[in-house]
Amino acid sequence: MAAIAWEPRKPLSIEKVDVAPPKAHEVRIKVVASGVCHTDWEYLNEAGRGMNLRSFPLVLGHEAAGVVESVGPDVTKFVPGDKVIPLFLPFCEECDQCKCEKTNLCKKNWENTQAGVLADGTSRISCRGQQVYQFLGVSSFCQYTVVPDTSLAKINPKAPLEKVCLLGCSVSTGYGAAVKTGKVEKGSCCAVFGLGAVGLAAVMGCQAAKARRIIAVDINPDKFQKAREFGATECINPRDYGNKPIQDILVEKTNGGVDYALECVGSPVTMSAALESTRDGWGTCVIAGWTETESMSVQVIKILMGRTLKGTYFGGWKSAKDVPQLVEDYMQKKLKLDEFISHNLPLAQINDAFNLLRNGQSIRTVISLENF
């Protein structure tokens, strides 16, 4: 069974699907749990607007954990029964990007998976006699899926899959934005824009880096208590200040600007505000929020005055190489995951999960693929 998006801006439909056996360098996994990410919602509802239009019908979902069911020819690193986390970002270990410590942007099968197909140009999922595209090469809103062996991380067999699935996207992205890409320093002052799962993970990362001051910014004050639990030292709702720009508020409150700003909303306006909230000379702004077709406005003087503007994809982690260690950090209680999960729902209620997300009522909903 799978939740299929037959067309943009329509509810998902629970359907019986066929999932073909894996081909060379592919692995078929039984998906146990999948987080519902804002990116899933955006690709469904903002297709052709802030997001590039994907092919439909489509099975969404890209933040998951499961168990290897079978492997295709030439697969050497996985065997049936392995606990795994599928990844939308590959790690082939062979390309220039994988060999370079400066980036995690492996491009193995990149164009194909972005188009919703695997290496041979087809999907392994079909329904009603037609091909169903795989979102980012993953499609975790399906009981079974097939992924490239370069886009899969083998993890601790004792790890609870319904928790560590969050390391497939949100928590890894936000946490890495702070500790990996931003390299937040001890004693620094930080601002995190947006308190969804990515933003809360960024707050957690700032705390792990021992930042002195962590300012959480969101227009939904219901998220402030949770932000404090993750390490925020103060919370700001921009709407409490009328029409005054949030960047001006932060510059005043910090006597010149924050050392690090982490944008976790995906709004070009917020991105510009985040950059402008940083301090002259050494301020760093990291963009973790996602948009594909929009542009942000940058005053050149802001860069000339010594600021650094950086982007991060999957938090800077080299996916299959680094995710197993993040799982270990969770197992050793160095990383929070349970606290992100606000709802647990069966696959049959996937549309309810999207509604919770859209209305700002959830942090992360985890979908069980074993129950309907």
Side-chain angles (χ1 to χ4, degrees):
M1 302 297 286
I4 297 181
W6 289 102
E7 56 183 301
R9 290 173 278 281
K10 298 292 185 181
L12 304 186
S13 175
I14 305 299
E15 306 270 358
K16 184 176 181 180
V17 299
D18 292 316
V19 180
K23 296 184 179 182
H25 291 291
E26 294 177 355
V27 179
R28 185 162 61 184
I29 65 174
K30 178 183 179 181
V31 181
V32 172
S34 179
V36 179
C37 181
H38 197 266
T39 304
D40 296 312
W41 184 90
E42 287 181 326
Y43 277 108
L44 178 64
N45 293 285
E46 298 296 324
R49 296 172 184 169
M51 300 292 166
N52 290 320
L53 183 63
R54 255 62 178 184
S55 297
F56 287 79
L58 174 70
V59 172
L60 292 163
H62 64 285
E63 181 183 85
V67 179
V68 172
E69 181 269 340
S70 59
V71 301
D74 303 319
V75 173
T76 59
K77 294 184 178 180
F78 304 95
V79 297
D82 284 345
K83 282 191 174 183
V84 290
I85 292 178
L87 301 158
F88 60 87
L89 176 65
F91 178 67
C92 75
E93 304 183 59
E94 298 175 352
C95 68
D96 290 342
Q97 286 92 331
C98 283
K99 293 178 180 179
C100 178
E101 290 303 315
K102 295 180 180 180
T103 183
N104 64 338
L105 296 179
C106 174
K107 293 299 179 72
K108 181 76 171 181
N109 294 322
W110 179 268
E111 291 185 2
N112 279 344
T113 56
Q114 291 294 308
V117 294
L118 300 183
D120 68 347
T122 66
S123 166
R124 300 293 165 266
I125 304 174
S126 60
C127 181
R128 303 182 191 174
Q130 69 179 106
Q131 175 172 269
V132 177
Y133 292 91
Q134 294 183 225
F135 184 51
L136 301 179
V138 179
S139 287
S140 57
F141 295 162
C142 185
Q143 285 186 300
Y144 289 86
T145 191
V146 175
V147 300
D149 61 359
T150 51
S151 298
L152 196 62
K154 182 178 177 180
I155 62 172
N156 189 326
K158 296 181 180 179
L161 299 180
E162 73 280 7
K163 310 291 186 182
V164 299
C165 62
L166 301 189
L167 292 170
C169 181
S170 58
V171 176
S172 297
T173 297
Y175 185 69
V179 304
K180 186 78 170 175
T181 303
K183 293 180 171 59
V184 170
E185 296 175 308
K186 180 180 179 180
S188 60
C189 177
C190 306
V192 176
F193 292 74
L195 298 176
V198 175
L200 291 172
V203 170
M204 179 172 65
C206 292
Q207 184 187 53
K210 299 183 179 179
R212 171 181 55 85
R213 194 173 177 186
I214 305 170
I215 305 170
V217 181
D218 201 289
I219 59 174
N220 183 354
D222 292 341
K223 297 181 178 180
F224 289 168
Q225 180 56 43
K226 181 64 72 172
R228 293 186 180 95
E229 292 174 16
F230 279 99
T233 58
E234 55 201 283
C235 299
I236 294 177
N237 181 351
R239 291 177 175 173
D240 290 342
Y241 295 83
N243 295 322
K244 190 169 186 178
I246 182 60
Q247 56 266 45
D248 293 347
I249 297 167
L250 289 169
V251 168
E252 287 181 9
K253 283 183 171 291
T254 57
N255 192 30
V258 299
D259 301 309
Y260 299 91
L262 298 109
E263 198 279 346
C264 304
V265 177
S267 160
V269 173
T270 308
M271 293 173 185
S272 298
L275 175 66
E276 293 174 15
S277 73
T278 59
R279 184 177 293 273
D280 282 348
W282 63 78
T284 295
C285 176
V286 179
I287 305 297
W290 187 254
T291 183
E292 288 183 326
T293 63
E294 298 175 282
S295 300
M296 67 177 288
S297 175
V298 177
Q299 289 183 296
V300 176
I301 189 66
K302 298 297 181 180
I303 302 297
L304 291 176
M305 290 296 103
R307 292 175 177 82
T308 299
L309 177 63
K310 307 175 76 173
T312 188
Y313 191 72
F314 196 57
W317 305 109
K318 287 185 179 289
S319 60
K321 177 184 177 182
D322 291 333
V323 164
Q325 183 56 55
L326 292 174
V327 171
E328 293 304 315
D329 289 346
Y330 165 72
M331 299 292 284
Q332 297 169 19
K333 301 187 184 304
K334 297 178 181 178
L335 193 66
K336 294 179 180 178
L337 290 179
D338 303 49
E339 293 82 357
F340 287 91
I341 301 171
S342 55
H343 298 79
N344 290 277
L345 294 174
L347 182 63
Q349 292 181 246
I350 184 67
N351 291 307
D352 294 333
F354 274 154
N355 288 334
L356 289 168
L357 184 67
R358 181 189 61 193
N359 295 328
Q361 296 173 287
S362 66
I363 298 171
R364 253 314 178 263
T365 296
V366 172
I367 297 295
S368 170
L369 278 296
E370 294 184 309
N371 300 304
F372 284 90

